[in-house]
DNA sequence: CGTATTATTGCAACATAATCGCAATAAAAT
DNA sequence: ATTTTATTGCGATTATGTTGCAATAATACG
């Protein structure tokens, strides 16, 4: 399935690139200059995830948030990192903290979704 | 707000106690002998969480799963532990693996939701 | 006991997130 | 220019979870 370049794709990727926070579909739709259909945004995002351009975070609110993988090297060591959700400013950000665990025998980990919740630095003043 | 003992409450708690896996509202409703309304189950579960009898896990599928806190002492050291979701048998279990992280200055963590996904021991044969 | 208080329940309606089918559009290849 | 088919918009649909309200029942209290 070959990918095609479209204004929609570029707009969403550009927005994610310039954002310091992970964004939900909702937030993306609101922040975009052009009007893009909801289903389309989801499809674009899902494609980005498939292509490992973007990673998906599921927060405690059950919603999906998307963030660009800038420094997310697929190096086995720092494969997964924590995310932080601030209950005060309601933003989700990537923390440069590797997820460490020792999995029991026989288990195989394919993905990790780790979200810490609380108050961020900006809001704790 | 005082709590009252009801058949519903006991049935749900008993089911969670005897289950080795975390259960969704859906699964609880199906596994219960008596028919209990969906909203009621959610309300019972939310009360259990408020009272720290049960803890809530939000998985990658965006759904809530509930598990009994048997050995979940509120000791600060092992406050949070990992959970594992098997994509093969579609179950979620508590791992006795503490969540370790070093949070940046100024951040305050109130909760952690950490789910590893992959294949469990039973399914990896 | 009998009665009063109010936590709990069932039901329907609601809210929101995310997906899907299908026809129309448009990017890319030829 | 024409063909191919990935992408889009739209509406409908599924799913999870919550809420308002009246009815029910657990608990306290005389
Ligand atoms: Mn991240
Ligand atoms: Mn657990
Ligand atoms: Zn904040
Ligand atoms: Zn399994």
């Amino acid at each position: 399935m070959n990918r095609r370049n479209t204004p929609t794709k570029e707009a969403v990727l550009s927005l994610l690139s310039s954002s310091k926070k992970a964004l939900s579909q909702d937030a993306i739709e609101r922040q975009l200059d052009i009007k893009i259909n909801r289903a389309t945004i989801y499809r674009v995002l899902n494609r980005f995830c498939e292509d490992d351009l973007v990673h998906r975070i599921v927060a405690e609110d059950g919603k999906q948030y998307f963030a660009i993988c800038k420094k997310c090297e697929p190096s086995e060591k720092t494969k997964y990192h924590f995310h932080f959700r601030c209950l005060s400013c309601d933003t989700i950000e990537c923390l440069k903290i590797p997820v460490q665990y020792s999995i029991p025998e026989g288990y195989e980990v394919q993905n990790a979704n780790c979200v810490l919740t609380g108050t961020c630095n900006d809001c704790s003043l």
Side-chain angles (χ1 to χ4, degrees), chain A:
Chain A
M1 185 95 78
N2 276 336
R3 296 278 130 95
R4 294 178 181 177
N5 288 323
T6 67
T8 291
K9 187 176 172 176
E10 286 176 25
V12 174
L13 199 58
S14 159
L15 180 59
L16 283 174
S17 293
S18 63
S19 174
K20 290 180 179 175
K21 312 283 183 177
L23 299 177
S24 64
Q25 176 279 323
D26 187 53
I28 291 173
E29 182 171 338
R30 274 186 282 104
Q31 292 182 33
L32 278 177
D33 298 324
I34 54 179
K35 170 67 182 170
I36 302 180
N37 182 265
R38 192 175 71 241
T40 302
I41 295 177
Y42 275 115
R43 280 186 283 225
V44 166
L45 290 169
N46 286 334
R47 262 177 267 145
F48 285 160
C49 288
E50 284 176 32
D51 300 344
D52 285 325
L53 288 174
V54 161
H55 65 279
R56 183 195 323 263
I57 306 142
V58 178
E60 285 184 324
D61 59 5
K63 287 175 63 178
Q64 301 181 357
Y65 294 81
F66 301 88
I68 279 275
C69 286
K70 285 172 187 170
K71 304 155 189 171
C72 299
E73 320 281 349
S75 67
E76 207 61 32
K77 287 211 169 187
T78 315
K79 194 169 186 181
Y80 308 112
H81 54 266
F82 280 100
H83 297 91
F84 192 87
R85 172 158 178 252
C86 178
L87 296 173
S88 182
C89 60
D90 195 37
T91 58
I92 294 188
E93 59 180 312
C94 297
L95 297 179
K96 300 303 171 200
I97 304 172
V99 174
Q100 296 177 36
Y101 53 86
S102 55
I103 200 76
E105 192 70 29
Y107 285 69
E108 191 185 347
V109 175
Q110 293 173 24
N111 195 19
N113 187 74
C114 300
V115 182
L116 306 176
T117 307
T119 313
C120 79
N121 186 36
D122 295 346
C123 297
S124 67
L125 305 178

